[in-house]
Amino acid sequence: MKYCLSALTVASCLILSAAGTSSDWPGWRGLHRDGASSETGLLKAWPEGGPPLLWQVHGLGAGFSSLAISGDRIYTMGDRGDGQYVLALNRADGKTVWATRIGAAWTEDDNAPGPRGTPTVDGDSVYAIGTEGEVVALNAGTGEIRWQRSMVRDYNGKMMSDWKFSESPLVDGDKVVFTPGSFGALLAAVDKRTGKDIWRAEGGWRVGSAGSNGAGYSSIVVSEGAGVRQYVQLAGRGLFGIRASDGKILWSYNRVANDVANIPTPVVHGDYVFASTGYGAGSVLVKLEPAADGVAAKEVYFLDARTFQNHHGGFILLGDYLYGGQGHNNGFPICLEFLRGKVKWGGNIRPEGSSGSAAVAYADGHLYFRYQNGVVKLIEASPGGYKETGSFRIPDVHKPSWSHPVVLDGKLYLREQDTLYCYNVRG
């Protein structure tokens, strides 16, 4: 991979190389939940008007879910009038294979209704979380519900603010892990086959004064920091780690929390965890170190909101550098040195025609910035400077264009509410 300059970078390259053994994108932000695709041989620049459209399908319903792609199926979620659905589509042409209702549609917010979470595929099962906190396991082939839990009724779960549950469930070994956000179950792990409890992480609200009690809008990532397998999550009171084996809270970091919505999924790399939130909060890199009672999180640096705050849309670690969108309600492209927090470039660039936050994905040396107004930018992933090599606008954008892009099989998939667009980006 280009720009492999250090031991940290080489490790990142090896991770991406391992990802290349899979032709699937099994859930939120891909195989490693990092937004990075192992695709190669893609277009380095787009023609005027963007890459060719291969197909488009309608009927997904309202919502902001991204895609899980496995085998010959694409999985997503949507509100379709009479309820909230998990959907399976044909990978070749996007036609609906099955649709299973898992709960009521979201009707309170006319501007931004619908599910936010992305399904997770594991073997012959699909797992999903609805906006009312329903956690469901479905047969991947037929859509039949195998089991269902409620984060509200079963775990006294709550959100830190009013925009409802937005998580994408994590499958780790024999466990499905999710975030009720309650004092008695900050996180919960259940048997993926039966839905029965394995453990609940208790006492999770008492982690500091900043932020608000409850779950955030992020999704869990796995870390082996300080030699301990753990689940790293960003909730209402900030960043924390939960021991995977028994649900013990190992460490927490409160300063990065805001009291409205903590959204971006953290990035983990070795012993390091990077997190950022909007609403004037900022960003932090912590290093996980062995401690007498398990693991301690040591602050490496903190960046104030003027330097880097990611409202939503996320960020991606590539070697020694972190790329994402800077600013609250903005997605100004920025490149940071991961271990030092130094800005290499950007943070004040508004790409032509774009507005709002940007959902970011990576493939084959380039970043795919998908803006709230439907403008999509292709940007070189280089610490050398900002270089845009393509731009187009998604058709018929009437609501915030927030769903995260997916790059797989030489295709760029863009969910736009009721419609899924599939573009050819193979070189």
Side-chain angles (χ1 to χ4, degrees):
M1 182 188 293
K2 201 173 181 181
Y3 313 123
C4 290
L5 302 175
S6 70
L8 176 65
T9 310
V10 169
S12 295
C13 294
L14 291 174
I15 289 172
L16 287 179
S17 177
T21 61
S22 172
S23 62
D24 291 343
W25 188 269
W28 172 240
R29 303 192 80 209
L31 190 63
H32 301 291
R33 295 197 153 199
D34 57 5
S37 169
S38 60
E39 288 283 292
T40 58
L42 305 181
L43 291 171
K44 306 300 183 184
W46 292 337
E48 185 176 355
L53 179 65
L54 291 175
W55 51 259
Q56 67 184 64
V57 292
H58 308 286
L60 278 63
F64 302 94
S65 297
S66 185
L67 310 174
I69 303 176
S70 181
D72 59 358
R73 297 285 184 266
I74 300 170
Y75 301 91
T76 190
M77 301 175 69
D79 281 359
R80 303 178 79 185
D82 65 328
Q84 194 161 102
Y85 284 79
V86 178
L87 308 169
L89 314 176
N90 189 306
R91 186 166 176 172
D93 56 16
K95 293 181 179 177
T96 300
V97 178
W98 55 255
T100 300
R101 187 181 186 275
I102 64 167
W106 182 359
T107 60
E108 290 91 335
D109 188 340
D110 291 335
N111 183 51
R116 275 84 163 121
T118 299
T120 302
V121 185
D122 180 72
D124 66 351
S125 294
V126 179
Y127 303 89
I129 296 176
T131 50
E132 298 299 329
E134 309 92 340
V135 184
V136 297
L138 306 100
N139 183 305
T142 67
E144 178 185 4
I145 294 178
R146 289 176 163 164
W147 55 258
Q148 186 165 356
R149 302 296 300 270
S150 168
M151 287 198 276
V152 176
R153 295 187 300 274
D154 298 332
Y155 299 93
N156 198 31
K158 63 167 288 183
M159 294 298 297
M160 65 178 295
S161 50
D162 296 333
W163 294 310
K164 302 200 176 186
F165 289 93
S166 302
E167 187 176 8
S168 305
L170 174 73
V171 180
D172 183 39
D174 63 350
K175 297 189 291 290
V176 178
V177 192
F178 46 88
T179 313
S182 64
F183 183 78
L186 178 59
L187 260 61
V190 302
D191 187 297
K192 70 180 183 182
R193 295 172 295 274
T194 66
K196 294 181 178 179
D197 279 359
I198 295 175
W199 51 250
R200 301 183 181 198
E202 298 182 356
W205 287 358
R206 297 174 180 172
V207 297
S209 58
S212 301
N213 291 337
Y217 300 88
S218 179
S219 292
I220 302 163
V221 287
V222 178
S223 169
E224 300 282 355
V228 179
R229 189 170 185 82
Q230 57 196 275
Y231 303 130
V232 174
Q233 176 62 304
L234 181 69
R237 291 291 182 186
L239 189 65
F240 58 89
I242 304 289
R243 190 160 60 196
S245 61
D246 59 5
K248 177 185 176 181
I249 298 176
L250 296 170
W251 57 269
S252 62
Y253 182 91
N254 179 238
R255 187 180 176 188
V256 77
N258 67 69
D259 62 1
V260 181
N262 299 318
I263 304 173
T265 295
V267 163
V268 299
H269 184 84
D271 292 330
Y272 294 94
V273 178
F274 181 91
S276 181
T277 67
Y279 299 92
S283 305
V284 67
L285 181 72
V286 298
K287 185 178 182 183
L288 306 183
E289 300 178 341
D293 57 349
V295 176
K298 177 182 178 181
E299 181 184 297
V300 179
Y301 61 76
F302 186 90
L303 305 178
D304 64 28
R306 292 170 298 178
T307 304
F308 186 58
Q309 61 171 325
N310 186 258
H311 184 197
H312 56 78
F315 31 83
I316 293 175
L317 176 63
L318 300 170
D320 298 324
Y321 300 96
L322 193 86
Y323 301 87
Q326 147 65 1
H328 185 81
N329 269 337
N330 282 306
F332 301 143
I334 194 170
C335 173
L336 299 169
E337 290 187 23
F338 180 66
L339 291 180
R340 296 202 301 160
K342 181 181 178 182
V343 177
K344 289 294 292 182
W345 56 259
N348 55 4
I349 302 166
R350 182 186 295 280
E352 183 179 358
S354 69
S355 68
S357 295
V360 185
Y362 165 84
D364 198 15
H366 287 77
L367 302 160
Y368 294 70
F369 271 62
R370 186 252 183 91
Y371 282 90
Q372 181 171 310
N373 66 343
V375 168
V376 184
K377 298 287 184 178
L378 188 66
I379 301 167
E380 283 193 2
S382 167
Y386 176 83
K387 184 178 180 181
E388 181 182 314
T389 62
S391 178
F392 74 100
R393 185 182 293 270
I394 302 169
D396 300 321
V397 172
H398 303 292
K399 294 183 178 180
S401 192
W402 285 338
S403 299
H404 280 235
V406 173
V407 182
L408 191 67
D409 294 336
K411 302 176 181 69
L412 168 63
Y413 297 90
L414 295 170
R415 163 81 182 274
E416 182 56 44
Q417 294 290 329
D418 188 62
T419 303
L420 176 60
Y421 296 97
C422 178
Y423 294 89
N424 182 7
V425 293
R426 193 177 300 281

